Amino acid sequence: MSTEDELRQVEEDLVRLRTENKEVRQQIGELGATDPIEIGSMIAMADDQEQLIADLERRRDELRRRLAQN
């Protein structure tokens, strides 16, 4: 896979994950008084997604630097 292709894939993954994370956070806010274990699980999932987003952003920046050097 070329660097350009990898960068494109990372950017697509970022868009998808940000959208999913936003939807999960909205669902948490809309649940109201429901099962605290379920809410905790959803919060943990959203937090994990945020960490993955941060990792992908670092990867994206690294790929952009690599492309700029060429």
Side-chain angles (χ1 to χ4, degrees):
M1 176 181 292
S2 73
T3 303
E4 291 91 354
D5 291 338
E6 188 175 352
L7 178 58
R8 200 170 9 263
Q9 182 63 52
V10 167
E11 288 176 340
E12 289 172 7
D13 290 345
L14 279 168
V15 169
R16 179 183 50 80
L17 282 171
R18 285 181 178 134
T19 300
E20 289 175 8
N21 190 269
K22 181 179 177 183
E23 290 171 358
V24 169
R25 297 274 184 200
Q26 286 175 338
Q27 288 174 0
I28 292 168
E30 294 169 357
L31 286 177
T34 62
D35 182 12
I37 294 173
E38 181 181 355
I39 291 173
S41 175
M42 291 177 75
I43 291 170
M45 182 177 70
D47 290 346
D48 289 346
Q49 283 180 329
E50 286 181 9
Q51 182 60 50
L52 182 55
I53 288 168
D55 292 344
L56 285 172
E57 287 172 339
R58 282 188 291 277
R59 179 67 180 150
R60 179 196 58 201
D61 294 343
E62 177 185 323
L63 291 167
R64 286 179 175 170
R65 278 191 295 276
R66 189 183 313 167
L67 284 172
Q69 291 175 352
N70 291 333

